[in-house]
Amino acid sequence: MSLVRQRDEALQEIDVLTTKLDQFRERNCTLVAANQALQKRVKRFSERLKKATSNAVEDVVNQSSKEKRIITPAMRLCVLELAKHGVPMDHIAGVILAVSDCFGIHLDSAPSSRSCRRIVKEGGIIDELHTMDLMNHTEYFTLSGDGTSYKNLNYEVKHVTLTDYLADPSLPEAERKHVVLVDLSNTASHTSEAQLAGWKNLCYKLHDTYNTSPLGLENPIDNRTFYTKACGYLSDHAPDQTKLVRLFVAERDQADLEMRGEQVLKSLGGEELVQMVVEQNETNILLAGGVAQWDALSQEEKETRNTKVEHAIIKRVGREAFEKLPKEQQADSRRFVWGGCAMHKAINSSKGGPLTMILDHRHPGPITLFNKDNAAAAGSSDAALKARAEKLSGRGGVKLIELMGMVLNNSNKKLGQQDMHGIYFESREHLGHVVRFPDVIIAHLPLYIEFFKFIREHKASGQWTNIEQNIYTALHDDGTLSDLVCMTLYSQSVDIPYMVIVRGQIQNQLDLPPTHDKVKALCRRVIADPYIVCGLDMSYKMASLNGKQWQRPDAVYAALALIPRLPLIPEGTKATFEGALETWERFTEDERSAQRVGMTEKQKMDHFLRTTNDHSEGGAGTTKRAKQRAPNASMDFISAKARWTRNNPKVWVEQKEQEVGGLFKHARVIVRRDDADGVVQRKRKEIAEQSKEIANANTCKRMKTKARKDKKQQELELCVPIEDMRALTEPARLKTITIAALDLQIDWHRDQEQKVLHKQETKAHSTIKGKPAKAAAVIAAIKQRKGWVTSGLIKEFYTPIEPDSDDEEVGSECNMDVEDDADIVGYGG
């Protein structure tokens, strides 16, 4: 039994092993087949790899600039970057194809020059979205602007300074302040009103572009926030800029009241809103004159009146809400800071103390530099011609530099000695480098004298022109050299160190008052002791504003070497610094504004103003150069290219295109719409029409001025001058004379002075305040005129005008009237 069981178990085990063997055989066959398949795949892999590599290389080598017949965003960015680096529109396609060929890439096509111009305009639209996004993410920003003219057209530059939320947050806040170029445009007028209209149009355009884009469709921005966020303005010191600030502040205050009023109305309950509507209806009916008159109005007129009354109610509610705020909060919300460019302060201070003002009294002073026509008139025996030539001609260091600029740096490259000047100076062993004018004349005075001798000898005629003769003579004139020395010492001690301070690093103009106090203190020290800057033992540690080495030590030492020859240098230095101090006081009045009083550090940073307006000045220069290179280019194109170059929104648009998308499409739609609507042509037509309106207004103004002058001349002809000074010294008689009559007497004497002396010694009556002062002015004029009679300059004090024969009868009738003394004093009778 045990053997049988063993046999059965052995058979079962054999069956199991047989089954496993079959399975192993089957698996082995499968593995063999898989192995054979893998061997075949390995054989085919190299061929597939070669084919895939070939296809990938072909995909890279063969590229298309379009997708679905539309230029791709990547190609648009390429065009914009090439334009940014100065590649002309007609050459961009060639550059793209040449670079692609260099890297073995085949492009099916490149954008045409027309497409490139449109793409640049689209870049301007993208930058408008970029600017609006930056303004939307900042609490406050400041504005700046400047203007220039080119070929009788006005061009304006506009910037916004704000905190860039995309900048590295670890940087100081001043370094995160980003100056954004927002507009380059041309206008028919540069008045303050026209500039304000330009800002308003720009505000509307920016918000319209943004609110219709994918970024603004869900979260539109109220264009009035542009005014409420703007809290400062940087410009030069021209009167039109201060007026522009006043106009902008008024617009800003109105926008603030409207927004406050709308917020209050939104928070009101139903009954209060109904009461407002009833009030509006009652006001409309009252203004119309009654219910019947209101019903008789057209629907359009009713809507217009409703809108006006609604705005009035909103502003009233907003004003009430504003007046409920604490005084400090009111002051903060109304704070708007204006700042003048620091470079304009420095430039004007350099003109503030001309040496001739003091030398005229104690020394013959700088010689007068006549042009050719005035030189002939100055040699005439006619005293009037000589006086006129003297008046129209300049002198001193500033005039000399102006003349040397015409010869050594003429804007007409076919004229002047600019390159010869550089080569001649480089050839001198002690100098050894090219010198370009303007340069410090005093530093190379002997060489300049030698160079102008060379100019004369180099000519076949051996003669100077009148301007060259003037320069050579002035370079030997002690008065002119004294002026140059004083200007050099002032520039090295104040001007240049000041420029280093204000332009050396990014800083807030609101932090500059201590620097200006240092400038004024230095000026006062020099006025008290001029030898601080012109003494032979002077030191830059005491004489320089920043206490550092002179920017041009050679110029300072050359100026000091001339002092023994020019004894009036100390007096001239004192006069120069006196004039500069007065100018600094006048040009820093913006720092004493009530808007700046008590500002915290945070408020100063919110109202951040650059120290200089160089970015706006540079924008004006960019416009001129662009018009020179492409005279027919539209301002939309020039502005778009300049803004893309300056603001560099490439990274921003790549990021936003991934997040939102549709920005390039939006820009494309706007540009094509504007081209189809003829926006550029319409703007040019508007400028032409505005120019005509200005011309007509000027014509009317001239006619009114002429009529006023004619009327004034008739009054002067009828005026009988007072000869007896007792009429003005005796109180009883003076009481009978009106102020108008005294004004007429002053005008008559001024008219006579112009005829006799060719200048007016007596002040204008508008500058003389009070009856006693006016009487004193007339007495002085009477004494002067009697002196003319004594000296023989005129024959008699007053020669009555003989009436025409046609006027005798009228005159006899007029003489029948009884006139009092006041009438006789003012007019003939």
Side-chain angles (χ1 to χ4, degrees):
M1 188 67 180
S2 59
L3 292 174
V4 173
R5 184 181 302 149
Q6 290 179 356
R7 185 192 64 183
D8 292 340
E9 290 176 355
L11 291 174
Q12 289 177 358
E13 186 176 355
I14 290 171
D15 291 339
V16 171
L17 292 174
T18 302
T19 302
K20 288 183 177 181
L21 179 62
D22 293 339
Q23 291 175 351
F24 284 134
R25 285 176 178 172
E26 183 179 354
R27 185 177 179 184
N28 184 52
C29 291
T30 303
L31 291 174
V32 169
N35 185 38
Q36 291 176 350
L38 287 173
Q39 289 177 352
K40 293 179 180 178
R41 289 179 65 184
V42 168
K43 290 181 179 179
R44 293 195 300 266
F45 177 76
S46 59
E47 296 179 359
R48 288 184 177 180
L49 180 62
K50 290 181 181 178
K51 187 175 181 180
T53 304
S54 176
N55 292 337
V57 170
E58 187 177 353
D59 291 339
V60 173
V61 171
N62 297 314
Q63 293 286 335
S64 176
S65 62
K66 295 182 178 181
E67 184 177 346
K68 296 182 180 179
R69 302 180 64 181
I70 297 176
I71 298 174
T72 62
M75 182 56 69
R76 292 177 186 277
L77 289 175
C78 178
V79 170
L80 287 166
E81 289 300 298
L82 289 174
K84 169 184 172 180
H85 289 89
V87 179
M89 298 298 104
D90 294 336
H91 297 163
I92 285 181
V95 170
I96 292 174
L97 292 174
V99 172
S100 61
D101 288 344
C102 175
F103 289 98
I105 298 173
H106 173 69
L107 268 179
D108 59 349
S109 63
S112 65
S113 59
R114 182 169 179 267
S115 296
C116 289
R117 290 183 177 88
R118 276 190 168 177
I119 290 171
V120 170
K121 290 183 181 180
E122 293 170 13
I125 302 298
I126 295 293
D127 184 67
E128 290 179 4
L129 299 175
H130 171 233
T131 300
M132 284 298 301
D133 184 58
L134 292 177
M135 290 195 298
N136 191 35
H137 283 83
T138 190
E139 185 178 4
Y140 295 104
F141 54 78
T142 58
L143 312 176
S144 56
D146 192 28
T148 187
S149 61
Y150 180 71
K151 293 186 176 179
N152 205 32
L153 272 181
N154 296 303
Y155 293 90
E156 292 183 356
V157 186
K158 299 180 179 68
H159 286 87
V160 171
T161 303
L162 43 73
T163 302
D164 188 355
Y165 76 97
L166 299 174
D168 185 357
S170 63
L171 293 173
E173 190 169 359
E175 296 185 18
R176 287 188 281 122
K177 291 291 183 180
H178 184 41
V179 179
V180 181
L181 174 62
V182 292
D183 189 42
L184 293 176
S185 58
N186 52 358
T187 61
S189 172
H190 192 60
T191 62
S192 303
E193 292 77 8
Q195 293 178 62
L196 177 64
W199 278 106
K200 292 169 72 173
N201 292 336
L202 174 64
C203 172
Y204 173 80
K205 180 185 177 185
L206 289 175
H207 285 81
D208 180 65
T209 301
Y210 184 85
N211 291 337
T212 56
S213 73
L215 293 173
L217 287 176
E218 295 184 358
N219 298 303
I221 302 175
D222 191 331
N223 63 352
R224 290 172 298 185
T225 59
F226 178 85
Y227 299 100
T228 57
K229 286 187 174 185
C231 60
Y233 194 82
L234 173 65
S235 67
D236 56 31
H237 296 75
D240 67 305
Q241 296 301 300
T242 54
K243 182 180 179 181
L244 171 62
V245 170
R246 292 195 299 271
L247 295 174
F248 189 91
V249 168
E251 195 75 24
R252 178 175 180 264
D253 292 346
Q254 291 299 316
D256 179 65
L257 292 179
E258 288 181 6
M259 295 183 71
R260 290 182 187 276
E262 290 176 1
Q263 289 177 358
V264 172
L265 292 178
K266 289 179 182 178
S267 64
L268 293 179
E271 294 182 1
E272 294 172 312
L273 286 176
V274 170
Q275 185 179 354
M276 288 286 184
V277 173
V278 171
E279 179 184 349
Q280 177 179 342
N281 292 334
E282 291 177 350
T283 304
N284 281 325
I285 293 172
L286 180 64
L287 293 174
V291 177
Q293 289 81 354
W294 172 259
D295 293 337
L297 296 175
S298 64
Q299 187 63 31
E300 183 179 355
E301 179 65 19
K302 289 180 180 180
E303 291 178 359
T304 302
R305 296 195 177 197
N306 277 329
T307 302
K308 289 182 179 179
V309 174
E310 182 181 350
H311 284 170
I313 293 175
I314 290 173
K315 288 180 182 178
R316 190 198 70 197
V317 173
R319 187 174 292 105
E320 292 173 355
F322 175 77
E323 292 173 351
K324 292 178 182 178
L325 296 174
K327 295 297 182 182
E328 293 182 358
Q329 193 171 345
Q330 289 183 18
D332 290 343
S333 64
R334 286 288 190 266
R335 194 186 301 275
F336 191 92
V337 177
W338 172 72
C341 174
M343 297 306 296
H344 284 86
K345 299 180 194 293
I347 291 171
N348 283 279
S349 70
S350 300
K351 304 174 183 177
L355 181 62
T356 54
M357 294 178 63
I358 188 170
L359 293 183
D360 279 347
H361 301 286
R362 310 182 186 182
H363 191 269
I367 59 171
T368 304
L369 303 174
F370 298 103
N371 62 24
K372 188 179 293 184
D373 293 335
N374 287 336
S380 170
S381 59
D382 189 333
L385 283 177
K386 293 177 69 174
R388 184 176 183 276
E390 184 77 25
K391 181 179 179 181
L392 295 177
S393 301
R395 55 177 173 167
V398 174
K399 183 63 177 179
L400 173 61
I401 294 171
E402 177 187 346
L403 296 180
M404 293 183 72
M406 295 179 184
V407 175
L408 304 180
N409 193 13
N410 199 300
S411 58
N412 186 341
K413 301 308 175 184
K414 291 188 176 181
L415 303 177
Q417 302 282 342
Q418 32 268 53
D419 285 348
M420 180 57 72
H421 168 249
I423 293 172
Y424 190 89
F425 274 60
E426 185 184 23
S427 66
R428 292 298 173 267
E429 294 181 358
H430 72 281
L431 198 59
H433 61 86
V434 176
V435 173
R436 298 294 181 188
F437 195 85
D439 190 52
V440 183
I441 300 172
I442 289 295
H444 306 302
L445 180 61
L447 197 52
Y448 274 111
I449 293 173
E450 178 186 326
F451 178 65
F452 275 90
K453 282 183 181 179
F454 164 76
I455 291 176
R456 181 186 60 186
E457 295 167 358
H458 188 260
K459 296 180 181 180
S461 63
Q463 300 292 324
W464 276 313
T465 62
N466 183 74
I467 187 173
E468 293 165 351
Q469 176 69 65
N470 274 334
I471 293 171
Y472 186 78
T473 304
L475 290 175
H476 291 80
D477 175 62
D478 287 353
T480 305
L481 292 178
S482 298
D483 209 352
L484 284 177
V485 168
C486 293
M487 292 168 61
T488 301
L489 293 176
Y490 177 80
S491 67
Q492 292 295 314
S493 61
V494 177
D495 262 355
I496 293 175
Y498 176 78
M499 294 179 190
V500 171
I501 292 172
V502 300
R503 301 181 70 180
Q505 59 183 355
I506 299 175
Q507 54 184 316
N508 193 346
Q509 188 181 115
L510 302 181
D511 295 326
L512 279 185
T515 300
H516 293 150
D517 291 341
K518 288 178 62 177
V519 172
K520 297 172 192 176
L522 176 59
C523 290
R524 293 188 185 98
R525 290 201 306 273
V526 175
I527 292 170
D529 182 12
Y531 292 96
I532 291 176
V533 296
C534 64
L536 296 180
D537 58 346
M538 54 91 77
S539 169
Y540 63 83
K541 295 181 180 179
M542 291 292 294
S544 177
L545 179 65
N546 57 4
K548 296 181 180 179
Q549 180 60 272
W550 309 110
Q551 189 256 354
R552 288 291 300 272
D554 56 336
V556 175
Y557 300 145
L560 295 177
L562 290 173
I563 289 179
R565 169 185 163 186
L566 307 172
L568 287 179
I569 289 297
E571 295 179 10
T573 301
K574 180 179 178 180
T576 299
F577 278 79
E578 284 176 345
L581 177 60
E582 187 275 331
T583 308
W584 276 111
E585 293 286 1
R586 184 156 42 90
F587 276 83
T588 53
E589 289 179 355
D590 53 330
E591 297 178 352
R592 298 185 285 275
S593 167
Q595 298 291 340
R596 297 197 184 191
V597 176
M599 294 182 70
T600 64
E601 291 301 320
K602 182 183 184 307
Q603 288 173 335
K604 287 183 179 180
M605 193 55 64
D606 289 339
H607 295 73
F608 185 93
L609 296 172
R610 285 291 183 97
T611 54
T612 71
N613 202 23
D614 290 352
H615 47 274
S616 295
E617 299 282 353
T622 298
T623 305
K624 280 189 175 183
R625 290 191 296 274
K627 294 300 290 184
Q628 289 169 352
R629 288 193 295 265
N632 294 327
S634 68
M635 281 307 301
D636 287 353
F637 173 82
I638 293 174
S639 177
K641 182 179 177 182
R643 285 186 284 118
W644 183 274
T645 302
R646 182 77 64 85
N647 301 335
N648 195 24
K650 181 175 180 289
V651 175
W652 176 87
V653 71
E654 289 175 337
Q655 177 184 343
K656 292 297 180 181
E657 189 69 14
Q658 292 179 356
E659 296 176 0
V660 182
L663 300 186
F664 285 101
K665 180 180 179 181
H666 178 64
R668 189 169 66 249
V669 169
I670 291 179
V671 170
R672 276 150 183 75
R673 181 197 64 195
D674 290 348
D675 287 347
D677 293 344
V679 171
V680 173
Q681 292 77 5
R682 187 166 66 246
K683 287 182 180 178
R684 289 173 178 167
K685 185 177 180 180
E686 289 174 357
I687 291 175
E689 291 175 351
Q690 291 171 5
S691 299
K692 289 180 182 178
E693 292 176 1
I694 293 172
N696 293 335
N698 288 338
T699 301
C700 294
K701 186 177 179 180
R702 284 193 297 269
M703 292 175 64
K704 290 180 180 179
T705 302
K706 184 178 183 301
R708 186 172 62 254
K709 287 183 177 179
D710 291 345
K711 181 181 178 181
K712 188 66 179 180
Q713 190 61 38
Q714 290 177 2
E715 292 177 352
L716 294 176
E717 291 176 357
L718 293 174
C719 177
V720 177
I722 299 173
E723 294 188 51
D724 187 0
M725 290 184 286
R726 289 176 299 176
L728 301 169
T729 57
E730 296 177 2
R733 297 179 65 181
L734 179 60
K735 188 176 181 180
T736 63
I737 304 175
T738 64
I739 289 181
L742 289 175
D743 287 342
L744 183 61
Q745 289 288 317
I746 293 173
D747 292 342
W748 186 87
H749 281 286
R750 284 170 55 83
D751 182 62
Q752 294 297 313
E753 289 169 354
Q754 186 64 41
K755 292 178 180 178
V756 176
L757 302 179
H758 305 288
K759 61 181 180 179
Q760 294 175 334
E761 299 284 355
T762 305
K763 293 182 179 180
H765 72 258
S766 59
T767 64
I768 305 173
K769 306 300 180 183
K771 193 172 187 178
K774 292 179 183 288
V778 177
I779 291 172
I782 293 172
K783 291 179 180 178
Q784 176 185 241
R785 189 164 182 82
K786 287 184 176 181
W788 296 348
V789 176
T790 304
S791 63
L793 196 59
I794 58 175
K795 293 181 179 180
E796 53 185 343
F797 188 89
Y798 169 64
T799 304
I801 299 176
E802 294 294 334
D804 295 336
S805 57
D806 296 338
D807 297 336
E808 288 181 358
E809 185 177 353
V810 176
S812 62
E813 294 176 359
C814 292
N815 290 336
M816 293 172 64
D817 296 334
V818 180
E819 297 173 325
D820 57 21
D821 292 339
D823 294 330
I824 295 174
V825 167
Y827 298 90

